[in-house]
Amino acid sequence: MSRKIGIDVFSRRAFLRTAASAGAAAVAGSAAAQTAIDDILNANGRGNWDDQFDAKASRTATAVVSNNPIFGPGSAGHIQQAIYDYQNIVSGGGWPMVNAPQKLELGVSDPSVQQLRQRLIISGDLPRSAGISNAYDSYVDGAVKRFQARHGLPADGVLGEYTLKAMNVSADIRLGQLRTNLVRIQAMSGDLGHRFVMVNIPAAYIEAVENNRVALRHAAIVGKIDRPTHAINSKIYEVILNPYWTAPRSIVEKDIVPLMRKDPTYLTRNSIRLIDGKGNEVAPETIDWFADKAPNLMFRQDPGKINAMASTKINFHNPNNEYMHDTPSQGLFNKLMRFESSGCVRVQNVRDLVTWLLRDTPGWSRQEIERVISTRQNTPIKLTEEVPVYIVYVTAWSATDRVVQFRDDIYELDGAAELALQTNIGVEQAAGSVEQDFLPQ
């Protein structure tokens, strides 16, 4: 069951000592940083393409990806270091806003690239040696990719709408975001277990952590802002291969009954059976679908490829009837904004995670898991040892490499409107009820 993890509290004396040191460093750092930027701005232009290409520069986004987990023994210290670094940036005047009159990408030459270069240098994404010029060269391309990777954006090197929005969040707002998330990370600084699963809602991804290293990382689809995934500390106790899906009453009334009125074959086509209170199957053609009330029956979908949960359901203790599961709609994982569920968590490449979860449960090798899935027989499996799962809301963090990561404040919990970037603008939204993401088509 869920267990509360204590919040570490800073020693007042240690905090004041550190803050004083950081303040002194910030003043010194401010002057040094300004001098460095002035040197760059006053340097000879480096706009010639022959000295502005580096094949390695465009691949720097890969350095952002690591097997360092968000939660580990040094997590609080790492984000503290990021706070001190950003205090220095803010004390030095922050970074400039980037005003791009056009979409900027590799090969473009435009005066606004000078602002972009300065912005990326200050945040540590572009080396100072790259200089200031109008050229969007491979160094800038690599720096933009690194920035995008740190902010959970597709690392394509193009300064488009979403990247520009994230880039123009001011340094002091980012500093406040780091401080907010320090409290959240401190709350998870206890013993999390040698093996655990972490779902970070704003990042829309899952980490399977073992011995303080990320063993697996999965893209996820989590809850919409009006039907959020709940943060919780719990334990995974069961994996169900070839799960049944039982339609909630709201979907039956709002969606399935109207569909049956239009197409009497809908239930049969989608392998949904009607079950009465005694466990007997009821034929759909015996039901009056135009009655005032929906039939008081269970609408249960058989296991199989078109099942709303596809091959797998992962159960953990919680009061919200939420769980992790597979999906037949794999294309949804390619979306920029993966906040489309009604609270449950869809997992990309879920069979890898299931194999990891069942590793200590005898008889469940990857081969056996695949064999059982191929039978399409409903198979619940109790884990020999329950695995802790932490569903959290963390929008900023750092690690030993001092790469600072930020994510959109999708649920608007960080206290600054600028952090809820609303990057779902322009993204096609699912029609129908908020639960219709499960509805078989």
Side-chain angles (χ1 to χ4, degrees), residues 262-285:
K262 295 177 182 178
D263 177 11
T265 69
Y266 174 79
L267 291 179
T268 302
R269 286 191 298 101
N270 286 285
S271 301
I272 299 176
R273 301 177 188 273
L274 303 177
I275 309 295
D276 66 19
K278 297 180 180 179
N280 300 315
E281 186 172 352
V282 178
E285 56 268 21

Side-chain angles (χ1 to χ4, degrees), residues 85-128:
D85 292 341
Y86 273 68
Q87 284 174 336
N88 286 339
I89 291 174
V90 171
S91 298
W95 47 60
M97 297 296 102
V98 179
N99 300 304
Q102 59 174 313
K103 183 168 71 173
L104 300 178
E105 57 188 326
L106 186 64
V108 168
S109 181
D110 188 270
S112 61
V113 177
Q114 294 191 31
Q115 289 177 325
L116 175 60
R117 283 174 176 264
Q118 187 178 357
R119 164 67 175 85
L120 293 168
I121 287 170
I122 293 172
S123 60
D125 295 294
L126 180 68
R128 260 186 276 166

Side-chain angles (χ1 to χ4, degrees), residues 352-409:
D352 293 341
L353 180 59
V354 166
T355 301
W356 185 83
L357 287 170
L358 294 178
R359 187 190 68 190
D360 297 329
T361 301
W364 289 104
S365 64
R366 178 62 180 259
Q367 291 78 7
E368 182 62 11
I369 292 168
E370 296 291 351
R371 186 194 69 77
V372 171
I373 289 174
S374 68
T375 67
R376 299 190 182 179
Q377 295 296 310
N378 178 258
T379 307
I381 307 166
K382 296 290 185 183
L383 273 64
T384 298
E385 183 177 350
E386 295 184 354
V387 176
V389 58
Y390 306 102
I391 301 180
V392 300
Y393 193 88
V394 176
T395 63
W397 67 93
S398 186
T400 54
D401 48 19
R402 294 178 73 168
V403 174
V404 185
Q405 302 250 6
F406 295 102
R407 294 298 185 271
D408 186 8
D409 178 24

Side-chain angles (χ1 to χ4, degrees), residues 77-316:
H78 299 324
I79 194 170
Q80 282 178 272
Q81 179 63 58
I83 288 171
Y84 303 148
D85 292 341
Y86 273 68
Q87 284 174 336
N88 286 339
I89 291 174
V90 171
S91 298
W95 47 60
M97 297 296 102
V98 179
N99 300 304
Q102 59 174 313
K103 183 168 71 173
L104 300 178
E105 57 188 326
L106 186 64
V108 168
S109 181
D110 188 270
S112 61
V113 177
Q114 294 191 31
Q115 289 177 325
L116 175 60
R117 283 174 176 264
Q118 187 178 357
R119 164 67 175 85
L120 293 168
I121 287 170
I122 293 172
S123 60
D125 295 294
L126 180 68
R128 260 186 276 166
S129 58
I132 300 295
S133 76
N134 294 343
Y136 199 113
D137 56 23
S138 65
Y139 292 94
V140 177
D141 178 73
V144 170
K145 286 178 178 176
R146 185 180 189 275
F147 175 91
Q148 290 169 326
R150 292 196 301 110
H151 291 76
L153 297 165
D156 58 8
V158 177
L159 193 71
E161 174 189 0
Y162 302 144
T163 302
L164 189 60
K165 281 183 178 181
M167 197 166 286
N168 281 336
V169 174
S170 65
D172 60 328
I173 292 292
R174 290 299 187 196
L175 175 59
Q177 187 178 15
L178 287 166
R179 288 169 171 158
T180 297
N181 282 274
L182 171 61
V183 177
R184 294 169 181 162
I185 287 175
Q186 284 179 313
M188 301 296 293
S189 61
D191 181 8
L192 305 182
H194 74 284
R195 295 179 82 227
F196 65 86
V197 173
M198 188 280 304
V199 181
N200 189 8
I201 297 167
Y205 76 54
I206 298 166
E207 290 179 350
V209 179
E210 187 162 7
N211 297 323
N212 298 319
R213 309 299 283 175
V214 176
L216 298 170
R217 189 175 278 121
H218 300 259
I221 296 168
V222 296
K224 307 171 187 179
I225 189 169
D226 57 353
R227 187 62 67 90
T229 298
H230 293 84
I232 192 171
N233 299 343
S234 186
K235 289 189 175 182
I236 295 169
Y237 65 90
E238 181 184 49
V239 169
I240 301 177
L241 303 181
N242 301 314
Y244 292 105
W245 174 69
T246 301
R249 188 68 183 173
S250 58
I251 284 185
V252 171
E253 294 175 348
K254 297 176 183 178
D255 300 306
I256 293 181
V257 168
L259 284 167
M260 283 299 290
R261 290 170 180 170
K262 295 177 182 178
D263 177 11
T265 69
Y266 174 79
L267 291 179
T268 302
R269 286 191 298 101
N270 286 285
S271 301
I272 299 176
R273 301 177 188 273
L274 303 177
I275 309 295
D276 66 19
K278 297 180 180 179
N280 300 315
E281 186 172 352
V282 178
E285 56 268 21
T286 65
I287 303 298
D288 179 7
W289 296 103
F290 290 88
D292 291 338
K293 292 186 177 181
N296 188 24
L297 299 168
M298 177 192 295
F299 286 64
R300 190 181 73 183
Q301 188 181 32
D302 290 340
K305 291 183 178 179
I306 64 171
N307 183 281
M309 291 182 286
S311 69
T312 311
K313 179 182 180 184
I314 300 172
N315 282 323
F316 54 91

